[in-house]
Amino acid sequence: MKHILLPTDFSKNAWNAIEYALNLYTDQECTFHVFNVYNQPASGPYTGITSAKAREAIYHAQVENSKAGLEDVMQAIHDKFNNPKHTFTSLSKYEMFATAVIDVVKTLHIDCIVMGTKGASTFKEMTLGSNTASLIGVINCPIIAVPKQKNYVTIREIGLSTDLDLTFTTHGLDPLLRVATANKSKVSILHIMDRDKQLTAKQHEALEVLNSILNPLQSDFFTLTDIGVSSGVHAFVESRKLDMLCVIAKEQDFLKRILNQSYSKSISNHSNVPLLILNIKNFN
């Protein structure tokens, strides 16, 4: 049975991600852990003894708000979904978000995190920094980041953006393989390179290994030349009308580097594709 973590701040975006997850895993036996993290403001108008009293009052209010919010979410799930393959738990934690998630992932043996993003698109949110971005590079389990107002649709085609400069393994790609197999999805590999360059022998070898791992899934290989990585990724997502984009995070600021703020605003404002984020540590 899979264990899926569903962080929520009780916003519409968070609820949308929960609905996406329940539809994505509709045919799989899963335990979903609805998780709320809360913390006190870093600063406030209180000092000394008054500050201590105020912080205690804020803490108790947050505890009650978290409890009530989780009860509402669990009730909403019960009212809308009735899948005998799914079970649910709820929990909350008073901690910084990334620290809390890291602890829960380890304790509950989480297989995947599905969470919402804010902003015009997943890409924009990643560049600006978010709870999702704070987990990149530090969480070994995959993350599915669901854009604002993105409803679940059958995942017909998944893009995999790669520089082909790593050793692909079945273990590392397992989250992608599971999603693609369950949805009978096509996997479209994207590699961006300079026009005057060719794939190196090592990259050819990596591509052969990747194609072998993806078999028997349907897959294609595409190259884009003379275009920035950021713009190329966005253009590929839009032109292929992808239902999901998979990236392999090599470092915590990976998405800031790959999906930076230099891409065309006209593309970013219409990009609405969930991101499947894998950690390179799982390829070792």
Side-chain angles (χ1 to χ4, degrees), residues 42-56:
S43 61
Y46 308 105
T47 57
I49 297 176
T50 305
S51 175
K53 291 181 178 179
R55 287 181 178 275
E56 182 178 0

Side-chain angles (χ1 to χ4, degrees), residues 111-283:
D111 296 293
C112 185
I113 301 171
V114 183
M115 59 189 299
T117 63
K118 300 176 182 178
S121 69
T122 299
F123 305 111
K124 184 175 182 180
E125 174 65 8
M126 289 303 165
T127 65
L128 298 179
S130 65
N131 283 336
T132 311
S134 71
L135 300 178
I136 296 170
V138 297
I139 292 291
N140 287 337
C141 72
I143 302 169
I144 297 178
V146 183
K148 182 180 179 181
Q149 298 179 342
K150 176 62 179 179
N151 296 322
Y152 177 80
V153 295
T154 301
I155 303 174
R156 298 163 299 177
E157 185 171 355
I158 304 173
L160 171 60
S161 178
T162 175
D163 56 13
L164 295 174
D165 286 333
L166 73 152
T167 301
F168 292 103
T169 65
T170 301
H171 174 71
L173 289 170
D174 183 67
L176 170 63
L177 297 174
R178 288 180 179 272
V179 172
T181 300
N183 291 272
K184 300 180 180 179
S185 311
K186 175 181 180 180
V187 178
S188 295
I189 306 163
L190 170 65
H191 177 69
I192 299 174
M193 60 193 301
D194 295 333
R195 182 184 294 272
D196 58 348
K197 291 186 177 180
Q198 301 292 327
L199 292 181
T200 65
K202 186 175 181 180
Q203 287 175 319
H204 274 294
E205 181 180 348
L207 182 58
E208 289 182 6
V209 172
L210 176 56
N211 283 326
S212 176
I213 293 174
L214 291 177
N215 186 50
L217 294 170
Q218 182 184 1
S219 64
D220 278 323
F221 177 65
F222 299 88
T223 59
L224 291 179
T225 59
D226 292 345
I227 188 172
V229 173
S230 172
S231 297
V233 169
H234 287 274
F236 188 71
V237 168
E238 295 300 312
S239 64
R240 299 294 305 173
K241 300 186 183 303
L242 298 179
D243 300 300
M244 180 175 283
L245 175 66
C246 179
V247 294
I248 301 169
K250 295 184 178 181
E251 53 201 24
Q252 190 164 4
D253 65 347
F254 175 75
L255 294 184
K256 291 182 181 180
R257 178 169 59 85
I258 297 298
L259 304 172
N260 57 60
Q261 298 184 43
S262 66
Y263 58 78
S264 167
K265 291 183 179 180
S266 63
I267 294 176
S268 70
N269 288 338
H270 294 90
S271 294
N272 192 33
V273 58
L275 278 176
L276 172 58
I277 306 168
L278 308 182
N279 193 325
I280 195 172
K281 295 176 182 178
N282 293 321
F283 288 81

Side-chain angles (χ1 to χ4, degrees), residues 30-134:
C30 301
T31 296
F32 294 94
H33 305 275
V34 184
F35 185 38
N36 175 244
V37 181
Y38 56 95
N39 204 322
Q40 297 219 354
S43 61
Y46 308 105
T47 57
I49 297 176
T50 305
S51 175
K53 291 181 178 179
R55 287 181 178 275
E56 182 178 0
I58 292 173
Y59 169 76
H60 286 298
Q62 287 177 317
V63 170
E64 292 304 314
N65 288 339
S66 179
K67 180 180 178 181
L70 287 172
E71 289 176 352
D72 289 343
V73 171
M74 297 297 281
Q75 185 62 49
I77 291 173
H78 175 76
D79 291 343
K80 189 168 184 178
F81 297 92
N82 182 24
N83 190 334
K85 294 183 178 181
H86 293 170
T87 57
F88 299 89
T89 71
S90 64
L91 65 158
S92 61
K93 198 172 181 67
Y94 177 76
E95 185 60 88
M96 298 300 294
F97 181 80
T99 303
V101 172
I102 291 170
D103 179 60
V104 169
V105 166
K106 181 178 180 180
T107 303
L108 298 180
H109 306 289
I110 297 298
D111 296 293
C112 185
I113 301 171
V114 183
M115 59 189 299
T117 63
K118 300 176 182 178
S121 69
T122 299
F123 305 111
K124 184 175 182 180
E125 174 65 8
M126 289 303 165
T127 65
L128 298 179
S130 65
N131 283 336
T132 311
S134 71

